[in-house]
Amino acid sequence: MIIRGDEPEQLRLLRKLYKPGNYFMQGNEAVAYGALFAGCRFYAGYPITPSSEIAETMARELPKLHGYYLQMEDEIGSIAAMVGASWTGFKVMTATAGPGFSLMQENLGYAVMTETPLVLVDVQRSGPSTGQATKGAQGDFFQARWGTHGDHPIVALSPTSGQDAFWETIRAFNIAEKLRTPVVVLFDGVLAHTREQIRIPDVSEVEITYRKLPANEEEAKLPFGDPHGDGVPPMPLFGHGYFTHVTGSTHKENGLRDVYTPEVHDRLVRRIHRKIEKNREVYERYEEHFTDDAEILVVSWGVTARPALGAVLKAREEGIKAGLFVPKTVHPFPGERMRELGKRVRVILVPEMNLGQMIIEVERYVNDDVLLKGVNKIGGVPLTVKEILREIRGVA
Amino acid sequence: MANEIYSTYPMVKYLRKEALPTALCPGCGGGTVLNAFANAIDQLKLDPKDLVVVSGIGCSAWIASPYFLADTLHTTHGRAIAFATGVKVGLPDKKVVVISGDGDLASIGGNHLLHAARRNIDITVILVNNFIYGMTGGQLAPTTPFGARTTTSPYRNIEHPLQISETIAAAGASYVARWTTAHVYQLIESIKKALNVRGFSLVEVISQCPVQYGRRNRMKEPAEMLRWFLKNSVPVSRAKNMSPEELEGKFVIGEFVNRERPEFVTELNKLIDEVQGHFGLKED
Ligand SMILES: Cc1ncc(C[n+]2csc(CCOP(=O)(O)OP(=O)(O)O)c2C)c(N)n1
Ligand code: SF4
């Protein structure tokens, strides 16, 4: 049983299979290798463009590492199988896009409610509906946050390159394990299919986290308790004789359903929120370029952060005081830092491959005296340096 | 009162006492199914520590969880088999059992049922077929008999019911049997066989829901429903020589298939072993 991917055997296999060095590969492949290095040994999925190469890489590589690739009958079954496998101790992942992400929402909520660690990669494509099936987009910002029903927290990361995707996928697993929660990786069709140089490190360079297991019988009897005060209950895995009861219905600390007592629901849902809010240092991450003296701040995420950086560099060459803020964890949004930066700048531009999604989150943290403007493009073609630069010049 | 009854009930050792008494209506066939399952476990001398029981949503889903004292996973509506698939891959040496309703497993979850049978993954499914959506108040199910009344077919049902056992036998399961709650001993024997088969097994139990189905179809009393089952049950062997017209409204009972076929998780592990060998990854 593979509970801990750092078993000497796993390290030996990783070393033998993947020599450290530079490789030329797709963003999707980088995600898959990140997952393998993070200890993912169970993948259940259903093919969909532009995410399919993640499934293909996992199907090819997982058996070499004693891991399991399952092609399920649909996306609903895929995330269901992941939850089942996670309760047996596996680190689990799936990848999907557009319509598949929509189908997974019900069980994503189930994973939140049952505090099941899993990683869900959404390779965003152009919608609504089947839209432009093969083209990239950034339209699932809010679907990641609010796609499933009820009051729930979510953690979502968004890599900005193939290399970044390798490391951010590892980080997604570490957060999922540490906080016993599903983590969404908002990738996109453009980076997914871009081939570039990606460095595969030695396993020793990779820091890996594992879920907290119960220290004793008493802890195992409270699979939804909070014995350590951090909001994260130790996870009693199936098959160890604990007789654990897991349900997506409102449950008490011992796992038994109680949907009638308001306090039980209140206590459970607030703790699930609290464990995310209180553990910001576990997942919060952003990048900044030239923000110290910036007058014009570009705030961008995912694929668009790259042309945005290009535009900021060019603007600087022209003597325009532009800066760039890139939330890498997009949910929960790094609002505090956004507020600080918002106080110092005159203009904020938010380029995205959608008609304005993250800008709504940015707006919550900036005052009215800042000019806030979206730079939006849809149609499946990414924003260019030129297009963003033009907007910067326009407000300079 | 309830506690006294449970304290003299020999199978109580398999139940999660803090979850009792059950929420099932008096006279519900679900109790019979729970009893039959506990007896099968007892007769096989299976340690509940070697069991993981998974269910979906509905009255029948409660039979397994929370009432049965094992690792229990109560999932979303229709998805129990898919969840169980992940559990089985992680715990290939445990018995993974799904107990849920016909609406749950055959309607919303019909695709998972079909594909699990096709894959022949070693999961035992006990499907409680009460012809109705009990929990949501008695609506039309994919198993509601032609002509029957439900809250969403108030005049009469004009759809044809799905023959679950026949369909799953055709889909590739290793073991398929159907009984009614009036055939308790046969039911226990089939559950035992199903648990011991290495492959996908389905035991369909025709069960009474006097509250939501019987009441609207002139069988208010649970016993009337059991008499209906007994009167209309036809063994598989006899059914083979009967015409579709003669079989209309009958319950074909017995074993549909019992065969060996490569099992999914076994094949998955074999494949991993081969790949490891092929790439020279095994430790010498
Ligand atoms: C996605 C979804 N759709 C609908 C429901 C509502 N629902 C709960 S139980 C149920 C039907 C259960 O019927 P069945 O499986 O036959 O079980 P029974 O109650 O008859 O034993 C439905 C439709 C739900 N919980 N989830
Ligand atoms: S509604 Fe029907 S199926 Fe549900 S518990 Fe009552 S009798 Fe049983």
Side-chain angles (χ1 to χ4, degrees):
Chain A
M1 181 62 245
I2 301 141
I3 295 173
R4 310 190 73 84
D6 66 349
E7 289 161 23
E9 165 70 355
Q10 284 294 319
L11 296 183
R12 179 186 74 82
L13 286 173
L14 284 169
R15 280 218 168 87
K16 184 155 183 180
L17 285 163
Y18 315 117
K19 299 266 174 279
N22 290 328
Y23 294 84
F24 189 59
M25 65 168 87
Q26 271 190 358
N28 272 343
E29 292 172 276
V31 168
Y33 287 110
L36 297 173
F37 272 70
C40 173
R41 295 296 175 271
F42 183 96
Y43 182 102
Y46 190 79
I48 183 168
T49 310
S51 77
S52 298
E53 294 84 2
I54 298 178
E56 287 164 5
T57 309
M58 295 304 265
R60 189 183 68 225
E61 300 302 319
L62 271 173
K64 300 180 190 167
L65 290 156
H66 286 295
Y68 297 85
Y69 171 85
L70 265 68
Q71 189 153 313
M72 294 298 287
E73 47 276 9
D74 57 29
E75 286 85 352
I76 303 174
S78 303
I79 179 162
M82 283 163 71
V83 171
S86 186
W87 275 93
T88 71
F90 277 122
K91 289 191 181 184
V92 301
M93 182 174 86
T94 195
T96 187
F101 191 37
S102 301
L103 286 179
M104 288 184 183
Q105 291 295 341
E106 187 197 19
N107 282 337
L108 181 60
Y110 182 90
V112 170
M113 192 61 153
T114 56
E115 302 178 67
T116 308
L118 61 84
V119 173
L120 195 172
V121 182
D122 171 30
V123 185
Q124 297 168 91
R125 66 185 225 180
S126 193
S129 191
T130 12
Q132 298 166 288
T134 58
K135 305 284 178 161
Q138 289 182 290
D140 301 350
F141 184 82
F142 284 116
Q143 194 189 180
R145 179 66 195 91
W146 296 115
T148 191
H149 59 284
D151 286 313
H152 63 86
I154 202 80
V155 177
L157 319 183
S158 188
T160 55
S161 70
Q163 182 73 68
D164 195 33
F166 176 86
W167 290 106
E168 286 295 281
T169 304
I170 293 171
R171 200 163 72 87
F173 275 95
N174 288 345
I175 297 164
E177 293 287 316
K178 186 111 191 173
L179 299 183
R180 228 186 105 178
T181 195
V183 174
V184 176
V185 178
L186 283 174
F187 207 36
D188 66 85
V190 180
L191 293 179
H193 285 166
T194 300
R195 284 181 186 278
E196 50 191 336
Q197 178 173 298
I198 285 157
R199 186 180 153 267
I200 295 291
D202 183 70
V203 281
S204 59
E205 292 172 57
V206 182
E207 201 187 305
I208 295 191
T209 306
Y210 295 94
R211 67 193 70 172
K212 218 185 318 176
L213 301 176
N216 47 46
E217 285 283 323
E218 216 169 293
E219 282 190 9
K221 292 237 152 60
L222 297 174
F224 303 93
D226 185 11
H228 304 180
D230 57 354
V232 188
M235 188 169 175
L237 302 177
F238 283 176
H240 292 252
Y242 298 132
F243 297 152
T244 305
H245 180 55
V246 181
T247 173
S249 296
T250 294
H251 43 271
K252 295 178 286 195
E253 284 73 5
N254 65 4
L256 281 186
R257 182 176 187 269
D258 178 350
V259 300
Y260 304 106
T261 319
E263 294 75 32
V264 171
H265 186 78
D266 186 279
R267 199 161 67 229
L268 170 66
V269 177
R270 280 186 199 276
R271 178 180 57 72
I272 291 176
H273 275 265
R274 198 176 62 235
K275 77 173 177 184
I276 303 297
E277 280 156 19
K278 283 267 163 82
N279 289 294
R280 238 166 218 284
E281 75 286 352
V282 174
Y283 55 80
E284 188 162 84
R285 185 180 279 189
Y286 45 79
E287 254 175 44
E288 292 185 29
H289 303 270
F290 312 107
T291 47
D292 289 350
D293 65 341
E295 289 167 7
I296 299 168
L297 184 68
V298 180
V299 182
S300 198
W301 62 292
V303 55
T304 311
R306 285 172 81 175
L309 179 59
V312 165
L313 289 170
K314 286 249 187 290
R316 284 271 160 183
E317 280 172 22
E318 294 175 16
I320 303 171
K321 287 199 168 161
L324 177 66
F325 180 58
V326 183
K328 300 297 284 290
T329 305
V330 293
H331 300 298
F333 195 71
E336 216 165 297
R337 185 62 188 152
M338 188 65 247
R339 184 172 288 135
E340 286 164 16
L341 293 172
K343 279 186 196 146
R344 298 204 235 132
V345 298
R346 188 166 53 80
V347 182
I348 294 179
L349 296 176
V350 186
E352 314 177 66
M353 281 177 79
N354 58 40
L355 291 181
Q357 298 202 7
M358 196 179 77
I359 192 170
I360 296 170
E361 193 65 283
V362 173
E363 192 175 9
R364 303 204 297 138
Y365 299 100
V366 297
N367 294 333
D368 290 349
D369 52 7
V370 177
L371 173 70
L372 180 64
K373 195 165 180 263
V375 182
N376 308 100
K377 185 173 178 182
I378 55 172
V381 183
L383 276 154
T384 62
V385 172
K386 244 193 207 157
E387 284 165 332
I388 300 171
L389 182 63
R390 196 191 306 138
E391 295 293 326
I392 296 175
R393 281 190 196 130
V395 292
Chain B
M1 225 279 275
N3 283 339
E4 275 166 48
I5 296 170
Y6 290 124
S7 67
T8 56
Y9 172 56
M11 293 300 132
V12 80
K13 59 185 174 195
Y14 295 111
L15 305 186
R16 217 186 279 278
K17 291 191 194 65
E18 59 276 32
L20 297 174
T22 79
L24 301 175
C25 306
C28 175
T32 309
V33 178
L34 175 57
N35 198 356
F37 179 60
N39 273 279
I41 297 296
D42 197 59
Q43 290 177 24
L44 289 177
K45 296 193 170 53
L46 279 179
D47 186 342
K49 287 185 174 161
D50 294 328
L51 271 179
V52 180
V53 193
V54 187
S55 62
I57 300 290
C59 301
S60 309
W62 284 60
I63 294 170
S65 104
Y67 304 126
F68 207 83
L69 186 60
D71 284 330
T72 42
L73 185 62
H74 208 123
T75 71
T76 43
H77 189 33
R79 315 302 166 196
I81 291 176
F83 279 86
T85 299
V87 173
K88 184 70 201 184
V89 172
L91 298 170
D93 301 329
K94 305 278 175 191
K95 303 269 185 212
V96 179
V97 182
V98 171
I99 306 181
S100 221
D102 52 303
D104 188 71
L105 292 169
S107 184
I108 187 169
N111 204 32
H112 306 302
L113 178 63
L114 212 55
H115 288 281
R118 170 181 69 78
R119 275 184 202 113
N120 200 31
I121 182 165
D122 184 25
I123 291 172
T124 297
V125 176
I126 301 175
L127 185 153
V128 184
N129 181 357
N130 58 11
F131 315 121
I132 199 93
Y133 285 19
M135 181 161 272
T136 40
Q139 297 84 10
L140 185 75
T143 45
T144 304
F146 192 82
R149 277 169 213 269
T150 72
T151 58
T152 50
S153 60
Y155 306 111
R156 65 186 168 88
N157 175 23
I158 53 160
E159 297 185 16
H160 301 282
L162 180 69
Q163 299 300 336
I164 296 168
S165 286
E166 288 83 346
T167 306
I168 297 311
S174 273
Y175 181 82
V176 177
R178 180 195 281 132
W179 299 103
T180 80
T181 43
H183 298 85
V184 180
Y185 292 97
Q186 294 94 324
L187 175 61
I188 295 173
E189 286 310 310
S190 271
I191 295 175
K192 280 158 65 183
K193 277 193 191 173
L195 285 166
N196 278 335
V197 157
R198 180 85 190 160
F200 189 81
S201 52
L202 171 79
V203 180
E204 180 184 351
V205 195
I206 307 275
S207 175
Q208 73 276 18
C209 169
V211 175
Q212 302 292 12
Y213 186 84
R215 179 159 57 104
R216 297 192 175 88
N217 291 282
R218 295 201 214 103
M219 285 174 286
K220 217 163 63 215
E221 297 301 323
E224 289 176 74
M225 294 200 76
L226 291 175
R227 276 195 290 274
W228 172 44
F229 296 162
L230 282 175
K231 198 165 150 231
N232 290 288
S233 292
V234 177
V236 193
S237 51
R238 190 137 56 82
K240 282 195 182 107
N241 305 317
M242 288 166 73
S243 68
E245 292 74 37
E246 287 173 304
L247 282 172
E248 188 66 40
K250 297 278 187 279
F251 310 117
V252 180
I253 53 167
E255 272 182 12
F256 287 76
V257 285
N258 189 358
R259 61 189 165 203
E260 269 181 46
R261 249 184 113 216
E263 190 273 330
F264 178 68
V265 182
T266 316
E267 293 301 310
L268 202 48
N269 280 311
K270 250 202 256 171
L271 178 97
I272 289 170
D273 200 52
E274 277 165 31
V275 171
Q276 296 257 314
H278 177 78
F279 287 95
L281 295 167
K282 286 188 190 162
E283 227 161 358
D284 13 58

